[in-house]
Amino acid sequence: MLYQICNGAVRFAAETVLEHINFEIRNKEKIAVVGRNGCGKTTLLKLIAGEVELSKRDSDEDIYIARAGKPVIGYLKQNAFEDDSLTMEQEVRKAFSELLAMKAEMERLVVLMEKENEEAAVSRYVRLEERFAYLGGYSFEKEYEIVIKKLGFSPEDKQKKLSEFSGGQQTKIAFARMLLSKPDILLLDEPTNHLDMATISWLEGYLKDYDRAVVIVSHDRMFLDRVVDVVYEIEYKTAVRYPGNYSAFVERKRLNWEKQQKDYELQQKEIERLQTLVERFKNKPTKVAMTRSKLKQIEHMVKIDAPARYDLKSFHADFQPARESVTDVLRAAQLRIGYDRPLAEVTLEQKKGQKIGIIGDNGSGKSTLLRTLTGQLEPLGGSFAFGDRVDIGYFEQQMAQYTSDKTVLEDFWEEFPDLKRLEVRSWLGAFLFGQEEVFKKIDMLSGGEKVRLALAKIFRRLPNYLILDEPTNHMDIVGKESLEAMLKAYPGSVLFVSHDRYFVKEIADSLLVFENGTVNFYPFGYEQYWEKLQADEKERQDQQADGKPGKLQPVGKNIGVSAKDRSPEKAKNSSPEKAGDAPAAAAPEPLKNAADRKGYNPGKEEAKRKRRLERLEMLIAQKEEELAAYQAQLKEPSIQSDYEKLMELEALCTAADEQLEALMMEWEESGCY
């Protein structure tokens, strides 16, 4: 165990942010921390980094933080540099201060050992050399060059002063320094912000191969899927650990919730059945022992709680465009875009209902294209035109910085004065502005809240063509999933820019890619595009190995991959479902009224009735044992980890419970009291 928090809690004044937190970092784990905006993810990172302390509590529980040795913890802070007059190279190479000092000491020891073979010098050199190698001392210069290049800096940038870089570039410089310092525990808060797709792809491989622990807070689901092997979810102020990547976490959480719900419903049904029996027979002298037994059975049950509801509160808008557009919604022919010089040239045709994702490196012209299409920039050449009856709804990144001293209600109503108050409140409520939130000042809203307000206005205009520039910035994962659901159901056309590859994968049916100085259109989605890139890269490497120049595959190559059925083979022999092979005992046919039969013999019929009751009581006891056995198997870890077996076993429980109910009804109707 490298690091552990036990029963931790963090409070700021009277507000509890985290409580009952149990968190572990084991060896070289890559851990994701996920949850809604404001749930305490960044607070947890600060707690690990030592910037926040555990709150004291009046409790008998052990509350502590434990560390194995003295692990070095690296945390990417968003504050300014101590000295922004330093060059980028000087700042980044601070990461190697220990290595450079060790290198100098090793060189001194080599000289000393050459002069006189001192045992102490040899011993110190060996220890230093081991540490030097562990910290990457023989490869740090090469790694420095790779990291700088991959983060988008040129050789000329190395000598520029820190003050000359933008805020986003300064963040990347701080990021480079921290990566190269190689801490034992690397804490990353939204590391993919300000990075383009190519850089994110490189970072995924870097972190996957990083031979130390990493803890990541990120809303980039594809990044988490490709990097992490453990997920902690913070929900309702506490954290739950799930093995696997993000997709595995989503599936496991769903299965756990469904299992707990089924277990809860099954137990509640059993309690109701037992209580019904007690109520029926509690006043019958011959059944006192039986009713006491059933009450004890209820009392000794380990009660199962109903599962907590998912914290899935998010916005939604189920709307249809006010009118339909024509089939050809956009045509661009050799459209040159840029400011003082062309950044790119675009030729594109978009049809009604088509959803085109625009991806590419930072600064390649993606947002510039959208600004040109919406009239904010003049084209530098070529032409473009929208089709008839095309009604545009445009979201731009700057909307997250919108300022106003109006309230949310005033601001929205001012744009839609014809709406009634109830309609305004209802529409804003769909975007999570309800109750008191509508009276918040615009200037007091977070970036995510401003994005929601902007989308509420855009969708209220009922456009049939959406142009969206990075709409998922400032959104948590649930918010992204909500927007994805809306856009999937949206019957209109969409043209959007996004660095969120998962979002692009879910929405885009075709891609416009700014790559290698050109703009290419691909008539397929992101998964096929990624497969094409991988295939092209493999062919390039193969050709280089053969001494031939690399050649990329043509755009139209069919690279679709069909999924295979990986359903696990059902367990055999002693598996729980084996119990379902034998037909369950059917409930006996109810006894007929003896008075309706000829040759009625009261004594003989009474003896037959008693035998039948004895038989019923035996069947009831057997069925109760069978049900108890099934319920015991449900608690076995091997069953709980096998969803297919779990479902089959719960079906057997339900069937046994229904058969038991039928037997009990017959027992009662047969005159048992």
Side-chain angles (χ1 to χ4, degrees):
M1 192 70 62
L2 186 61
Y3 181 95
Q4 182 182 28
I5 301 172
C6 183
N7 295 315
V10 177
R11 294 191 183 93
F12 297 112
E15 181 184 2
T16 299
V17 179
L18 301 172
E19 61 183 357
H20 303 298
I21 294 292
N22 292 291
F23 183 89
E24 296 177 352
I25 304 174
R26 304 171 187 170
N27 303 321
K28 301 176 183 179
E29 284 183 333
K30 308 299 185 289
I31 299 171
V33 179
V34 302
R36 302 301 303 271
N37 284 343
C39 71
K41 301 186 297 294
T42 298
T43 300
L44 178 60
L45 291 191
K46 290 182 177 179
L47 180 62
I48 298 170
E51 296 186 4
V52 171
E53 294 184 354
L54 286 178
S55 299
K56 296 181 179 179
R57 292 186 291 151
D58 296 329
S59 172
D60 294 332
E61 296 176 313
D62 289 333
I63 302 170
Y64 61 83
I65 292 177
R67 302 172 182 84
K70 296 181 179 180
V72 177
I73 299 175
Y75 181 35
L76 182 60
K77 302 176 183 178
Q78 302 300 321
N79 57 335
F81 297 106
E82 294 178 1
D83 183 0
D84 62 4
S85 66
L86 295 177
T87 65
M88 184 189 79
E89 184 168 36
Q90 289 173 324
E91 179 65 29
V92 174
R93 289 182 71 85
K94 286 180 181 179
F96 306 131
S97 56
E98 182 182 358
L99 282 173
L100 293 172
M102 291 172 67
K103 185 178 181 181
E105 176 65 7
M106 288 166 63
E107 290 172 350
R108 186 188 70 80
L109 289 171
V110 168
V111 173
L112 184 63
M113 288 186 294
E114 288 176 349
K115 290 181 178 179
E116 33 184 298
N117 190 14
E118 289 190 11
E119 186 175 338
V122 173
S123 177
R124 174 161 174 73
Y125 180 88
V126 170
R127 292 197 305 272
L128 268 178
E129 198 276 337
E130 288 179 353
R131 176 70 177 167
F132 186 74
Y134 171 75
L135 294 176
Y138 295 110
S139 60
F140 75 89
E141 292 289 0
K142 180 180 179 181
E143 192 169 0
Y144 163 72
E145 296 295 339
I146 291 174
V147 169
I148 291 300
K149 181 179 178 181
K150 292 295 184 180
L151 288 176
F153 296 105
S154 66
E156 293 75 23
D157 288 332
K158 294 179 184 178
Q159 303 309 317
K160 288 172 62 175
K161 292 183 179 181
L162 296 174
S163 58
E164 298 178 43
F165 292 98
S166 67
Q169 289 175 315
Q170 288 185 1
T171 299
K172 288 203 286 187
I173 292 171
F175 189 28
R177 175 185 165 181
M178 191 183 65
L179 287 178
L180 292 168
S181 67
K182 293 190 177 299
D184 299 307
I185 301 175
L186 182 58
L187 306 179
L188 302 177
D189 195 349
E190 297 294 350
T192 60
N193 284 0
H194 310 292
L195 302 182
D196 56 36
M197 287 187 175
T199 307
I200 293 171
S201 181
W202 165 80
L203 182 61
E204 287 170 353
Y206 184 93
L207 294 178
K208 196 69 179 173
D209 295 336
Y210 189 69
D211 63 351
R212 294 162 178 78
V214 183
V215 182
I216 304 168
V217 168
S218 178
H219 292 142
D220 189 329
R221 293 157 291 177
M222 191 172 290
F223 179 77
L224 296 181
D225 265 350
R226 293 179 177 175
V227 173
V228 308
D229 44 43
V230 174
V231 174
Y232 276 90
E233 183 192 29
I234 299 179
E235 190 176 35
Y236 302 115
K237 300 181 183 179
T238 192
V240 178
R241 180 184 174 101
Y242 296 86
N245 62 12
Y246 180 79
S247 293
F249 144 70
V250 171
E251 180 66 8
R252 175 50 56 189
K253 182 179 179 182
R254 181 184 67 81
L255 294 178
N256 287 352
W257 191 93
E258 289 178 356
K259 180 188 179 304
Q260 187 174 350
Q261 182 68 23
K262 286 180 178 292
D263 290 348
Y264 171 76
E265 291 173 352
L266 198 62
Q267 187 180 70
Q268 290 300 306
K269 188 174 180 180
E270 176 67 2
I271 290 172
E272 183 181 0
R273 184 184 70 82
L274 295 173
Q275 288 176 335
T276 300
L277 286 175
V278 170
E279 288 299 317
R280 284 179 181 172
F281 306 120
K282 64 182 180 181
N283 297 321
K284 309 303 174 184
T286 59
K287 299 301 173 187
V288 171
M290 185 272 286
T291 56
R292 287 177 179 171
S293 172
K294 301 305 178 190
L295 287 172
K296 285 185 178 180
Q297 191 175 339
I298 295 173
E299 183 182 342
H300 293 156
M301 281 184 182
V302 178
K303 299 299 186 294
I304 299 171
D305 294 328
R309 61 179 177 82
Y310 279 11
D311 185 7
L312 296 177
K313 183 182 179 186
S314 193
F315 62 87
H316 62 278
D318 183 14
F319 74 96
Q320 294 291 319
R323 60 178 183 169
E324 283 194 36
S325 67
V326 297
T327 301
D328 295 320
V329 295
L330 171 64
R331 286 186 177 180
Q334 298 177 318
L335 175 64
R336 289 193 293 278
I337 58 172
Y339 294 87
D340 54 341
R341 60 180 179 82
L343 285 173
E345 183 177 290
V346 180
T347 295
L348 174 68
E349 290 187 5
Q350 185 173 7
K351 303 295 184 180
K352 180 174 66 175
Q354 195 172 12
K355 297 178 173 67
I356 300 177
I358 305 175
I359 62 176
D361 294 344
N362 288 338
S364 58
K366 304 184 302 297
S367 296
T368 305
L369 171 61
L370 300 192
R371 295 190 187 106
T372 303
L373 294 176
T374 53
Q376 298 183 51
L377 291 174
E378 290 294 326
L380 301 182
S383 63
F384 74 92
F386 292 101
D388 291 336
R389 300 170 60 84
V390 170
D391 302 321
I392 296 174
Y394 176 45
F395 174 88
E396 56 181 330
Q397 296 184 50
Q398 287 71 20
M399 289 177 175
Q401 281 77 48
Y402 175 54
T403 60
S404 172
D405 59 357
K406 299 187 182 74
T407 66
V408 171
L409 184 64
E410 291 168 345
D411 184 79
F412 185 86
W413 212 343
E414 188 175 276
E415 291 208 25
F416 303 96
D418 294 336
L419 293 180
K420 296 179 180 178
R421 185 181 184 86
L422 181 60
E423 292 176 309
V424 172
R425 292 297 301 267
S426 176
W427 190 260
L428 287 173
F431 286 83
L432 302 186
F433 294 107
Q435 305 299 325
E436 299 303 316
E437 283 88 349
V438 297
F439 301 112
K440 290 173 69 173
K441 298 281 188 181
I442 300 294
D443 289 343
M444 299 301 292
L445 298 180
S446 67
E449 289 172 321
K450 289 178 180 179
V451 168
R452 276 193 274 119
L453 179 58
L455 291 174
K457 294 177 184 177
I458 291 168
F459 293 144
R460 184 62 207 181
R461 297 187 186 99
L462 307 180
N464 55 35
Y465 188 86
L466 293 174
I467 298 178
L468 310 174
D469 191 1
E470 296 287 2
T472 60
N473 284 358
H474 307 284
M475 282 187 186
D476 59 22
I477 289 175
V478 174
K480 291 180 180 182
E481 290 172 346
S482 300
L483 184 57
E484 286 165 4
M486 289 169 57
L487 293 180
K488 283 179 181 179
Y490 176 63
S493 311
V494 184
L495 184 68
F496 70 96
V497 170
S498 180
H499 282 135
D500 189 320
R501 295 160 300 166
Y502 198 98
F503 183 79
V504 175
K505 176 179 75 73
E506 290 295 301
I507 302 304
D509 52 37
S510 48
L511 298 175
L512 191 67
V513 184
F514 287 67
E515 55 188 348
N516 304 320
T518 62
V519 182
N520 298 312
F521 178 80
Y522 296 87
F524 43 70
Y526 185 80
E527 286 183 303
Q528 286 180 285
Y529 173 72
W530 175 254
E531 290 166 0
K532 178 187 182 304
L533 289 183
Q534 299 296 97
D536 288 350
E537 176 63 19
K538 184 178 185 305
E539 180 172 337
R540 185 185 66 80
Q541 292 176 355
D542 290 344
Q543 291 176 340
Q544 285 182 342
D546 294 338
K548 299 176 182 178
K551 181 180 179 182
L552 295 181
Q553 293 289 341
V555 169
K557 182 180 178 182
N558 183 1
I559 55 173
V561 178
S562 60
K564 295 182 178 179
D565 181 12
R566 297 188 180 91
S567 299
E569 186 178 340
K570 291 185 179 180
K572 299 178 181 179
N573 302 328
S574 60
S575 61
E577 59 265 37
K578 194 74 177 177
D581 292 344
E589 184 182 346
L591 295 175
K592 295 180 180 179
N593 189 337
D596 293 339
R597 294 187 229 151
K598 295 181 180 180
Y600 174 64
N601 185 327
K604 186 176 180 180
E605 292 300 328
E606 178 61 21
K608 188 183 292 186
R609 188 181 70 83
K610 285 183 178 180
R611 288 197 300 272
R612 182 58 182 157
L613 289 176
E614 290 173 358
R615 171 69 176 167
L616 280 172
E617 289 175 354
M618 181 188 70
L619 290 173
I620 288 170
Q622 290 176 348
K623 191 57 64 176
E624 286 181 333
E625 290 178 4
E626 180 183 335
L627 182 59
Y630 288 152
Q631 291 170 340
Q633 288 183 68
L634 280 172
K635 298 176 183 178
E636 294 177 8
S638 61
I639 299 299
Q640 293 182 355
S641 62
D642 189 325
Y643 184 67
E644 185 177 348
K645 289 182 181 179
L646 192 65
M647 294 300 100
E648 292 184 12
L649 192 55
E650 288 184 342
L652 289 173
C653 281
T654 301
D657 188 64
E658 291 173 352
Q659 292 161 8
L660 181 59
E661 185 72 21
L663 288 168
M664 292 301 300
M665 290 295 294
E666 184 185 353
W667 180 69
E668 180 181 350
E669 292 169 359
S670 298
C672 58
Y673 58 88

